[in-house]
C-alpha cells in the first residue's frame, strides 16, 4: 500500500507507544491523529467507529482499519518485513518461540505491570490515592514473572532468542513505566533482566517515542 499510515491516539498511552515504536523500528512514516482522552474523545465519534471498545490506538492504512496495539505491531512488522529491523523471525521454529513470549507478555507481564502502573504512576498523576494493598499484591506477582524472565534471559540475549523481536518490543512501554517507580529494584536485582532492559530501552526507535512524551 502506498498510502500514509494514520495512527490515532496520544503519546501518554502505553498501547499507543507500543504501536508507534514498531513503526520507528521499521522506519515507516506515519501521521499522528491526536485523540483527546481527557475530553473523552476516545469514547465518541468519530473515534468509536475505528475502535468500538473506545481505546487507543487505532490505525488506518488505506481502507484497512485496525485496533489493539499488538495486532497493529504485527501487521506493521509483516507488511514492512523488508524495511528496518526484522521483528518476526522467518524460521518457523524461531518464530514459534518468539510467539510464545509475545503471549507471555500479553497474558503474564502486561496485566501485572499495567495494574502497578495505574497505582504508582497514573493515580498520582490524576490526584487519586494509591492503594498499597493492591501494589503489594501485584508486586508479588511481578517478582514471580521476573524470576521466569531471569531464567529465560540467562539462556538467550532476548526473550525470543538471539535477536530483538516483537516479543521484546511489546514490553517497552510498561518496562519504562516500572523504571520510574520503586519496582525498578526488582529489575536491577536480576542481572540478566537488567541487561535486557538496558539494551532494549536504549534502542533509537524507543528514544523517538520517549521524545514524543517530552514534546
Amino acid at each position: 500500500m502506498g498510502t500514509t499510515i494514520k495512527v490515532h491516539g496520544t503519546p501518554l498511552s502505553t498501547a499507543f507507544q507500543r504501536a508507534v515504536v514498531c513503526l520507528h523500528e521499521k522506519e515507516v512514516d506515519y501521521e499522528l491523529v491526536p485523540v483527546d482522552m481527557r475530553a473523552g474523545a476516545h469514547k465518541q465519534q468519530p473515534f468509536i467507529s475505528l475502535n468500538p471498545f473506545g481505546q487507543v490506538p487505532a490505525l488506518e492504512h488505506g481502507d484497512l482499519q485496525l485496533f489493539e496495539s499488538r495486532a497493529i505491531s504485527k501487521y506493521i512488522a509483516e507488511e514492512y518485513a523488508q524495511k528496518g529491523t526484522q521483528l518476526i523471525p522467518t524460521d518457523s521454529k524461531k518464530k514459534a518461540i518468539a510467539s510464545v513470549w509475545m503471549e507471555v507478555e500479553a497474558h503474564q507481564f502486561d496485566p501485572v505491570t499495567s495494574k502497578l502502573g495505574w497505582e504508582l504512576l497514573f493515580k498520582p498523576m490524576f490526584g487519586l490515592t494509591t492503594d498499597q494493598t493492591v501494589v503489594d499484591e501485584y508486586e508479588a506477582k511481578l517478582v514471580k514473572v521476573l524470576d521466569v524472565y531471569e531464567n529465560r534471559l540467562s539462556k538467550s540475549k532476548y526473550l525470543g532468542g538471539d535477536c530483538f523481536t516483537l516479543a521484546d518490543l511489546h514490553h517497552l512501554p510498561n518496562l519504562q513505566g516500572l523504571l520510574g517507580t520503586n519496582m525498578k529494584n526488582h529489575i536491577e536485582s536480576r542481572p540478566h533482566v537488567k541487561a535486557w532492559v538496558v539494551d532494549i530501552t536504549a534502542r533509537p526507535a524507543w528514544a523517538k517515542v520517549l521524545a514524543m512524551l517530552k514534546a
Side-chain angles (χ1 to χ4, degrees):
M1 296 181 185
T3 54
T4 300
I5 287 178
K6 295 181 180 180
V7 184
H8 300 253
T10 172
L12 188 61
S13 160
T14 53
F16 172 89
Q17 295 167 18
R18 188 177 293 112
V20 168
V21 70
C22 186
L23 284 161
H24 286 298
E25 285 285 354
K26 300 305 290 185
E27 301 172 5
V28 175
D29 293 331
Y30 65 94
E31 176 187 344
L32 167 60
V33 183
V35 177
D36 189 349
M37 295 181 69
R38 288 183 182 272
H42 57 307
K43 301 294 185 182
Q44 305 167 18
Q45 291 293 357
F47 183 81
I48 205 77
S49 64
L50 296 174
N51 183 352
F53 295 103
Q55 297 173 318
V56 299
L59 175 143
E60 292 184 279
H61 193 194
D63 59 1
L64 177 68
Q65 296 180 347
L66 295 175
F67 56 92
E68 294 295 344
S69 61
R70 294 168 185 82
I72 289 171
S73 69
K74 188 175 181 182
Y75 166 71
I76 293 164
E78 292 178 338
E79 178 70 8
Y80 298 97
Q82 304 308 314
K83 290 196 67 174
T85 307
Q86 180 63 257
L87 295 172
I88 299 177
T90 53
D91 176 83
S92 60
K93 289 185 173 64
K94 291 180 180 180
K95 182 177 180 179
I97 292 170
S99 295
V100 166
W101 290 96
M102 288 167 64
E103 292 293 318
V104 170
E105 184 278 329
H107 300 294
Q108 304 293 335
F109 180 84
D110 183 77
V112 173
T113 53
S114 290
K115 194 69 173 179
L116 287 168
W118 170 247
E119 291 292 339
L120 296 172
L121 293 171
F122 289 101
K123 270 192 172 181
M125 190 184 302
F126 297 131
L128 303 173
T129 302
T130 295
D131 187 331
Q132 190 59 44
T133 301
V134 173
V135 172
D136 292 345
E137 176 187 351
Y138 280 84
E139 182 176 9
K141 293 180 180 180
L142 175 65
V143 166
K144 291 180 180 179
V145 171
L146 292 181
D147 282 344
V148 173
Y149 280 37
E150 180 68 10
N151 181 58
R152 169 60 181 167
L153 292 165
S154 71
K155 301 170 183 174
S156 64
K157 184 176 181 180
Y158 298 101
L159 287 176
D162 295 329
C163 299
F164 179 82
T165 67
L166 288 180
D168 308 290
L169 178 146
H170 285 173
H171 287 78
L172 279 166
N174 285 15
L175 276 177
Q176 190 70 48
L178 289 181
L179 293 175
T181 73
N182 59 359
M183 295 299 127
K184 70 180 179 181
N185 296 330
H186 296 303
I187 292 172
E188 294 176 347
S189 64
R190 292 166 174 78
H192 295 99
V193 171
K194 180 181 178 180
W196 171 67
V197 171
V198 168
D199 183 310
I200 68 174
T201 56
R203 295 183 70 83
W206 184 239
K208 292 177 181 178
V209 175
L210 294 181
M212 296 175 71
L213 290 170
K214 300 174 183 176

